[in-house]
PDB file of all heavy atoms in Angstrom:
ATOM      1  N   LEU C  77    -166.360  65.256 -78.329  1.00  0.00           N
ATOM      2  CA  LEU C  77    -165.008  65.643 -78.700  1.00  0.00           C
ATOM      3  C   LEU C  77    -164.531  66.759 -77.773  1.00  0.00           C
ATOM      4  O   LEU C  77    -165.222  67.762 -77.614  1.00  0.00           O
ATOM      5  CB  LEU C  77    -165.032  66.140 -80.144  1.00  0.00           C
ATOM      6  CG  LEU C  77    -163.776  66.054 -80.959  1.00  0.00           C
ATOM      7  CD1 LEU C  77    -163.333  64.621 -81.090  1.00  0.00           C
ATOM      8  CD2 LEU C  77    -164.018  66.652 -82.325  1.00  0.00           C
ATOM      9  N   PRO C  78    -163.368  66.588 -77.124  1.00  0.00           N
ATOM     10  CA  PRO C  78    -162.922  67.629 -76.204  1.00  0.00           C
ATOM     11  C   PRO C  78    -162.349  68.833 -76.967  1.00  0.00           C
ATOM     12  O   PRO C  78    -161.993  68.698 -78.133  1.00  0.00           O
ATOM     13  CB  PRO C  78    -161.818  66.931 -75.423  1.00  0.00           C
ATOM     14  CG  PRO C  78    -161.296  65.883 -76.344  1.00  0.00           C
ATOM     15  CD  PRO C  78    -162.452  65.455 -77.192  1.00  0.00           C
ATOM     16  N   PRO C  79    -162.282  70.008 -76.315  1.00  0.00           N
ATOM     17  CA  PRO C  79    -161.622  71.122 -76.954  1.00  0.00           C
ATOM     18  C   PRO C  79    -160.181  70.735 -77.285  1.00  0.00           C
ATOM     19  O   PRO C  79    -159.598  69.966 -76.516  1.00  0.00           O
ATOM     20  CB  PRO C  79    -161.637  72.228 -75.891  1.00  0.00           C
ATOM     21  CG  PRO C  79    -162.617  71.768 -74.856  1.00  0.00           C
ATOM     22  CD  PRO C  79    -162.731  70.301 -74.968  1.00  0.00           C
ATOM     23  N   PRO C  80    -159.592  71.230 -78.334  1.00  0.00           N
ATOM     24  CA  PRO C  80    -160.110  72.225 -79.267  1.00  0.00           C
ATOM     25  C   PRO C  80    -160.877  71.634 -80.445  1.00  0.00           C
ATOM     26  O   PRO C  80    -160.812  72.180 -81.530  1.00  0.00           O
ATOM     27  CB  PRO C  80    -158.832  72.904 -79.733  1.00  0.00           C
ATOM     28  CG  PRO C  80    -157.830  71.802 -79.722  1.00  0.00           C
ATOM     29  CD  PRO C  80    -158.212  70.847 -78.661  1.00  0.00           C
ATOM     30  N   GLY C  81    -161.594  70.547 -80.236  1.00  0.00           N
ATOM     31  CA  GLY C  81    -162.389  69.997 -81.325  1.00  0.00           C
ATOM     32  C   GLY C  81    -163.593  70.866 -81.631  1.00  0.00           C
ATOM     33  O   GLY C  81    -164.187  71.461 -80.731  1.00  0.00           O
ATOM     34  N   LEU C  82    -163.939  70.972 -82.897  1.00  0.00           N
ATOM     35  CA  LEU C  82    -165.033  71.824 -83.311  1.00  0.00           C
ATOM     36  C   LEU C  82    -165.716  71.169 -84.497  1.00  0.00           C
ATOM     37  O   LEU C  82    -165.054  70.804 -85.481  1.00  0.00           O
ATOM     38  CB  LEU C  82    -164.477  73.201 -83.694  1.00  0.00           C
ATOM     39  CG  LEU C  82    -165.464  74.242 -84.176  1.00  0.00           C
ATOM     40  CD1 LEU C  82    -166.421  74.614 -83.069  1.00  0.00           C
ATOM     41  CD2 LEU C  82    -164.730  75.473 -84.669  1.00  0.00           C
ATOM     42  N   ILE C  83    -167.028  71.015 -84.379  1.00  0.00           N
ATOM     43  CA  ILE C  83    -167.768  70.429 -85.504  1.00  0.00           C
ATOM     44  C   ILE C  83    -168.161  71.571 -86.425  1.00  0.00           C
ATOM     45  O   ILE C  83    -168.832  72.512 -85.998  1.00  0.00           O
ATOM     46  CB  ILE C  83    -169.023  69.695 -84.980  1.00  0.00           C
ATOM     47  CG1 ILE C  83    -168.590  68.572 -84.039  1.00  0.00           C
ATOM     48  CG2 ILE C  83    -169.835  69.143 -86.139  1.00  0.00           C
ATOM     49  CD1 ILE C  83    -169.719  67.906 -83.314  1.00  0.00           C
ATOM     50  N   THR C  84    -167.739  71.511 -87.665  1.00  0.00           N
ATOM     51  CA  THR C  84    -167.980  72.647 -88.546  1.00  0.00           C
ATOM     52  C   THR C  84    -169.093  72.357 -89.560  1.00  0.00           C
ATOM     53  O   THR C  84    -169.405  73.233 -90.345  1.00  0.00           O
ATOM     54  CB  THR C  84    -166.697  73.048 -89.298  1.00  0.00           C
ATOM     55  OG1 THR C  84    -166.190  71.882 -89.946  1.00  0.00           O
ATOM     56  CG2 THR C  84    -165.678  73.589 -88.361  1.00  0.00           C
ATOM     57  N   GLY C  85    -169.628  71.179 -89.551  1.00  0.00           N
ATOM     58  CA  GLY C  85    -170.739  70.947 -90.485  1.00  0.00           C
ATOM     59  C   GLY C  85    -171.195  69.525 -90.423  1.00  0.00           C
ATOM     60  O   GLY C  85    -170.518  68.640 -89.921  1.00  0.00           O
ATOM     61  N   GLY C  86    -172.375  69.314 -90.954  1.00  0.00           N
ATOM     62  CA  GLY C  86    -172.901  67.961 -91.054  1.00  0.00           C
ATOM     63  C   GLY C  86    -174.078  67.724 -90.150  1.00  0.00           C
ATOM     64  O   GLY C  86    -174.517  68.608 -89.394  1.00  0.00           O
ATOM     65  N   GLU C  87    -174.607  66.523 -90.223  1.00  0.00           N
ATOM     66  CA  GLU C  87    -175.755  66.135 -89.417  1.00  0.00           C
ATOM     67  C   GLU C  87    -175.540  64.729 -88.931  1.00  0.00           C
ATOM     68  O   GLU C  87    -174.864  63.938 -89.612  1.00  0.00           O
ATOM     69  CB  GLU C  87    -177.036  66.159 -90.257  1.00  0.00           C
ATOM     70  CG  GLU C  87    -177.488  67.545 -90.664  1.00  0.00           C
ATOM     71  CD  GLU C  87    -178.194  67.512 -92.014  1.00  0.00           C
ATOM     72  OE1 GLU C  87    -178.841  66.503 -92.308  1.00  0.00           O
ATOM     73  OE2 GLU C  87    -178.072  68.500 -92.742  1.00  0.00           O
ATOM     74  N   VAL C  88    -176.103  64.407 -87.792  1.00  0.00           N
ATOM     75  CA  VAL C  88    -176.057  63.049 -87.300  1.00  0.00           C
ATOM     76  C   VAL C  88    -177.484  62.670 -86.918  1.00  0.00           C
ATOM     77  O   VAL C  88    -177.968  63.088 -85.869  1.00  0.00           O
ATOM     78  CB  VAL C  88    -175.124  62.931 -86.088  1.00  0.00           C
ATOM     79  CG1 VAL C  88    -175.143  61.507 -85.572  1.00  0.00           C
ATOM     80  CG2 VAL C  88    -173.708  63.334 -86.442  1.00  0.00           C
ATOM     81  N   TRP C  89    -178.132  61.936 -87.791  1.00  0.00           N
ATOM     82  CA  TRP C  89    -179.537  61.609 -87.542  1.00  0.00           C
ATOM     83  C   TRP C  89    -179.644  60.311 -86.777  1.00  0.00           C
ATOM     84  O   TRP C  89    -179.120  59.286 -87.197  1.00  0.00           O
ATOM     85  CB  TRP C  89    -180.322  61.507 -88.849  1.00  0.00           C
ATOM     86  CG  TRP C  89    -180.511  62.860 -89.464  1.00  0.00           C
ATOM     87  CD1 TRP C  89    -179.745  63.419 -90.434  1.00  0.00           C
ATOM     88  CD2 TRP C  89    -181.487  63.814 -89.120  1.00  0.00           C
ATOM     89  NE1 TRP C  89    -180.174  64.678 -90.719  1.00  0.00           N
ATOM     90  CE2 TRP C  89    -181.267  64.950 -89.915  1.00  0.00           C
ATOM     91  CE3 TRP C  89    -182.551  63.838 -88.186  1.00  0.00           C
ATOM     92  CZ2 TRP C  89    -182.038  66.099 -89.835  1.00  0.00           C
ATOM     93  CZ3 TRP C  89    -183.327  64.981 -88.113  1.00  0.00           C
ATOM     94  CH2 TRP C  89    -183.065  66.098 -88.936  1.00  0.00           C
ATOM     95  N   PHE C  90    -180.375  60.393 -85.677  1.00  0.00           N
ATOM     96  CA  PHE C  90    -180.627  59.204 -84.896  1.00  0.00           C
ATOM     97  C   PHE C  90    -182.100  58.839 -85.070  1.00  0.00           C
ATOM     98  O   PHE C  90    -182.974  59.682 -84.972  1.00  0.00           O
ATOM     99  CB  PHE C  90    -180.317  59.460 -83.423  1.00  0.00           C
ATOM    100  CG  PHE C  90    -180.673  58.307 -82.533  1.00  0.00           C
ATOM    101  CD1 PHE C  90    -179.781  57.261 -82.374  1.00  0.00           C
ATOM    102  CD2 PHE C  90    -181.905  58.250 -81.900  1.00  0.00           C
ATOM    103  CE1 PHE C  90    -180.124  56.168 -81.599  1.00  0.00           C
ATOM    104  CE2 PHE C  90    -182.245  57.174 -81.114  1.00  0.00           C
ATOM    105  CZ  PHE C  90    -181.342  56.118 -80.961  1.00  0.00           C
ATOM    106  N   THR C  91    -182.371  57.570 -85.342  1.00  0.00           N
ATOM    107  CA  THR C  91    -183.756  57.134 -85.471  1.00  0.00           C
ATOM    108  C   THR C  91    -184.075  56.150 -84.354  1.00  0.00           C
ATOM    109  O   THR C  91    -183.423  55.109 -84.242  1.00  0.00           O
ATOM    110  CB  THR C  91    -183.990  56.442 -86.823  1.00  0.00           C
ATOM    111  OG1 THR C  91    -183.438  57.268 -87.847  1.00  0.00           O
ATOM    112  CG2 THR C  91    -185.473  56.238 -87.068  1.00  0.00           C
ATOM    113  N   GLY C  92    -185.055  56.504 -83.545  1.00  0.00           N
ATOM    114  CA  GLY C  92    -185.407  55.627 -82.418  1.00  0.00           C
ATOM    115  C   GLY C  92    -186.219  54.416 -82.876  1.00  0.00           C
ATOM    116  O   GLY C  92    -186.607  54.315 -84.041  1.00  0.00           O
ATOM    117  N   ARG C  93    -186.488  53.508 -81.965  1.00  0.00           N
ATOM    118  CA  ARG C  93    -187.273  52.312 -82.307  1.00  0.00           C
ATOM    119  C   ARG C  93    -188.681  52.704 -82.721  1.00  0.00           C
ATOM    120  O   ARG C  93    -189.320  52.044 -83.524  1.00  0.00           O
ATOM    121  CB  ARG C  93    -187.359  51.373 -81.092  1.00  0.00           C
ATOM    122  CG  ARG C  93    -186.054  50.666 -80.821  1.00  0.00           C
ATOM    123  CD  ARG C  93    -186.252  49.474 -79.881  1.00  0.00           C
ATOM    124  NE  ARG C  93    -184.958  48.858 -79.614  1.00  0.00           N
ATOM    125  CZ  ARG C  93    -184.218  49.102 -78.548  1.00  0.00           C
ATOM    126  NH1 ARG C  93    -184.648  49.928 -77.633  1.00  0.00           N
ATOM    127  NH2 ARG C  93    -183.041  48.525 -78.396  1.00  0.00           N
ATOM    128  N   ASP C  94    -189.139  53.824 -82.145  1.00  0.00           N
ATOM    129  CA  ASP C  94    -190.486  54.279 -82.444  1.00  0.00           C
ATOM    130  C   ASP C  94    -190.531  55.159 -83.690  1.00  0.00           C
ATOM    131  O   ASP C  94    -191.540  55.771 -83.983  1.00  0.00           O
ATOM    132  CB  ASP C  94    -191.030  55.058 -81.250  1.00  0.00           C
ATOM    133  CG  ASP C  94    -190.040  56.105 -80.763  1.00  0.00           C
ATOM    134  OD1 ASP C  94    -188.974  56.250 -81.404  1.00  0.00           O
ATOM    135  OD2 ASP C  94    -190.321  56.789 -79.765  1.00  0.00           O
TER     136      ASP C  94
END
Side-chain angles (χ1 to χ4, degrees):
Chain C
L77 205 61
L82 179 65
I83 300 171
T84 53
E87 291 149 32
V88 178
W89 289 96
F90 175 84
T91 312
R93 287 196 181 97
D94 49 3

